[in-house]
Amino acid sequence: MNILVLGGGGREHALTWRLACDAGVSRIFCAPGNAGIAQVAVTVPLDPANPADVLAFVEEHDIALTVVGPELPLTRGVVDLLSARGRLAFGPTRAAAEIESSKVFAKEFMVRHRVPTADCEVCSSADAARRVVASGRFGFPLVVKADGLAAGKGVIIAEDRTVAFGAIDAIMVGRQFGEAGERVLIEECLAGPEVSFFVVSDGVRGLSFCSAQDHKRAYDDDRGPNTGGMGAFAPSPLVDAALAARIIDEVVTPTIDGMRAEGRPFRGFLYVGLMLTSGGPKVLEFNARLGDPEAQVLLPLLAEDLMPLLHDAAAGTLSRSSAVFASGATVGVVLASGGYPDRYETRKPIAGLDEAAAAPGVLVFHAGTAIQGDQVVTSGGRVLTIVGRGPDYGSAIARAYEAVGRIAFEGMHWRRDIGAKAPGGARQGAPRDSQAAGEQP
Ligand code: AMP
Ligand code: GLY
């Protein structure tokens, strides 16, 4: 069976690596891929967010299943076009992906289907938003969110009215995120630990796909700017069987049922971002895809073939309620370019890749890498995810960081506290003040 994976980050390296382990897979293509993906798949210079180009490739190369990694191809309608032409694609349609691409849609959907989430007011003008803030209904801090996609920067926790008004102005008047700021949500600020819960859905059923915890801020101890994710571990020790059952009951089932009832059946990975509050789990956000770097820590623990799950979900024929995961833990540390998530340089040679991959219990996933001559060089903000696997969090952390020590490129920065919150976890080395150097290249 020929498979096409769309995307070129760490998540897609983990997906192609895992699919390459499966018995029924004959050939994997990945567009556009990266230097690591090129070791397990045929990389193709194709724009994954251009539906017509993707369809032409699928027809020409007799692709039996297209697996969409990132969000953009979903919102551009790649799955809609492939499905309309009778081609199997794993991922939601554009309408179903609105559960991620529009926070207003997601919030109003949750209210309609009684999915627990933060109390909220949707505002279509800056005046209306200011009035909600001034009314005192949500107190302080409160949360201001842009409706659309804003590269992880569209959520502002406002400690007081000045910060809230500033955020409303930047989003709605200054249009910092363009069209994403036509509407804002003013939201109650929740407190508690954050966890991510994953499900594979075929539009009717949901198959539990383990849990993970991300580390979104750039620097140790959750300081610094938001990023796409600087590291993750799996499973989340906070999600035991009882909590997983509660999440399925209160969130996953009403969401899958509700999407189907509203004529937007959700097929694909559903990523449920939750805050565990004193009043129970509440949804912060949905994503219509696997997380990055969550995929890099989840997929190595998957103890069965991935391809049949994705195939059955795309075909609407899932017949089980959970996937099989191995015991033990994984911890993934992201190595980023100096300056990320702001301005950074690329084309830095990367040393030690083979040495790191040779370390026991370690997987090296590429994100922003490219091949230049016979050298692997950096080509993005998040460059690599180094994953350690062990019987417990402590050993997984030790393995990951031992391998991190074998890799070097100019400006490389990473967090020392990935997994430190997990039982048996600890920071690896002193917190680096010099990480601030990453802020000011
Ligand atoms: P989102 O993109 O909606 O997940 O928001 C990004 C981050 O902002 C989340 O991971 C939370 O840390 C934080 N956040 C979002 N909504 C809330 C809320 N209602 N209360 C507290 N923190 C929030
Ligand atoms: N790591 C968070 C995300 O993929 O959205």
Side-chain angles (χ1 to χ4, degrees):
M1 186 191 240
N2 288 344
I3 295 188
L4 171 65
V5 175
L6 299 181
R11 167 183 46 215
E12 289 76 28
H13 190 186
L15 280 167
T16 50
W17 162 80
R18 193 62 193 72
L19 288 165
C21 301
D22 286 1
V25 176
S26 37
R27 233 174 150 197
I28 306 176
F29 298 89
C30 183
N34 59 39
I37 292 173
Q39 294 168 2
V40 285
V42 181
T43 56
V44 280
L46 176 75
D47 176 4
N50 182 320
D53 288 358
V54 173
L55 175 67
F57 185 89
V58 163
E59 290 181 335
E60 190 183 333
H61 293 84
D62 194 26
I63 301 293
L65 177 67
T66 302
V67 178
V68 185
E71 212 256 346
L72 192 59
L74 301 171
T75 56
R76 293 273 173 84
V78 164
V79 172
D80 305 60
L81 182 63
L82 291 176
S83 306
R85 299 298 185 90
R87 296 285 174 170
L88 215 50
F90 177 83
T93 58
R94 182 192 212 146
E98 264 197 61
I99 203 162
E100 170 170 0
S101 61
S102 168
K103 289 185 190 291
V104 170
F105 171 78
K107 183 63 78 171
E108 292 178 341
F109 173 88
M110 287 189 271
V111 171
R112 283 196 292 280
H113 298 279
R114 297 191 178 77
V115 173
T117 184
D119 203 10
C120 167
E121 190 81 45
V122 174
C123 306
S124 303
S125 73
D127 274 346
R130 286 190 209 102
R131 273 198 302 277
V132 172
V133 169
S135 76
R137 173 176 160 196
F138 296 108
F140 290 102
L142 53 71
V143 186
V144 181
K145 295 186 179 185
D147 174 34
L149 298 174
K153 294 183 178 163
V155 176
I156 296 96
I157 314 263
E159 295 296 333
D160 56 36
R161 182 190 290 222
T162 311
V163 176
F165 280 18
I168 292 165
D169 275 352
I171 295 170
M172 300 198 87
V173 184
R175 286 300 169 98
Q176 190 181 355
F177 311 115
E179 274 179 35
E182 261 168 38
R183 293 184 290 180
V184 295
L185 298 87
I186 306 294
E187 193 167 294
E188 163 199 17
C189 189
L190 302 174
E194 281 185 59
V195 301
S196 307
F197 190 82
F198 297 86
V199 174
V200 176
S201 177
D202 69 351
V204 178
R205 272 180 214 82
L207 175 133
S208 300
F209 203 79
C210 202
S211 59
Q213 284 178 232
D214 191 10
H215 299 66
K216 284 191 175 136
R217 301 292 202 94
Y219 311 126
D220 285 9
D221 304 316
D222 298 327
R223 289 180 298 113
N226 257 317
T227 69
M230 291 298 287
F233 59 89
S236 165
L238 302 173
V239 183
D240 59 12
L243 181 59
R246 186 169 179 190
I247 293 167
I248 289 163
D249 214 41
E250 295 180 6
V251 176
V252 173
T253 303
T255 299
I256 292 173
D257 289 352
M259 291 295 278
R260 192 175 70 251
E262 295 192 9
R264 323 178 178 224
F266 188 94
R267 288 187 174 153
F269 279 114
L270 180 67
Y271 167 141
V272 187
L274 295 152
M275 198 165 256
L276 306 181
T277 74
S278 53
K282 296 196 178 178
V283 177
L284 291 174
E285 63 165 346
F286 288 113
N287 291 316
R289 51 176 173 80
L290 264 185
D292 185 339
E294 291 91 332
Q296 294 91 303
V297 290
L298 289 168
L299 293 169
L301 289 173
L302 181 67
E304 63 174 306
D305 282 358
L306 177 63
M307 194 271 286
L309 297 181
L310 304 186
H311 179 277
D312 290 355
T317 57
L318 273 181
S319 55
R320 290 182 293 134
S321 62
S322 68
V324 185
F325 279 82
S327 61
T330 45
V331 172
V333 181
V334 169
L335 305 183
S337 295
Y340 173 82
D342 299 322
R343 201 170 53 81
Y344 54 83
E345 291 176 4
T346 57
R347 304 283 144 191
K348 309 291 184 194
I350 306 173
L353 286 167
D354 292 341
E355 292 80 354
V362 167
L363 291 159
V364 174
F365 293 117
H366 291 228
T369 68
I371 295 170
Q372 193 169 279
D374 55 4
Q375 174 69 51
V376 177
V377 298
T378 65
S379 67
R382 292 190 293 175
V383 176
L384 299 161
T385 309
I386 311 301
V387 177
R389 180 175 175 180
D392 49 47
Y393 297 104
S395 58
I397 291 170
R399 285 175 170 170
Y401 279 97
E402 201 274 320
V404 166
R406 300 182 183 198
I407 294 193
F409 57 85
E410 191 188 317
M412 169 169 132
H413 85 90
W414 69 97
R415 278 179 61 159
R416 308 301 202 263
D417 63 344
I418 305 300
K421 283 186 280 233
R427 183 195 307 276
Q428 302 297 295
R432 273 183 38 189
D433 287 343
S434 57
Q435 278 189 342
E439 282 172 302
Q440 300 292 332

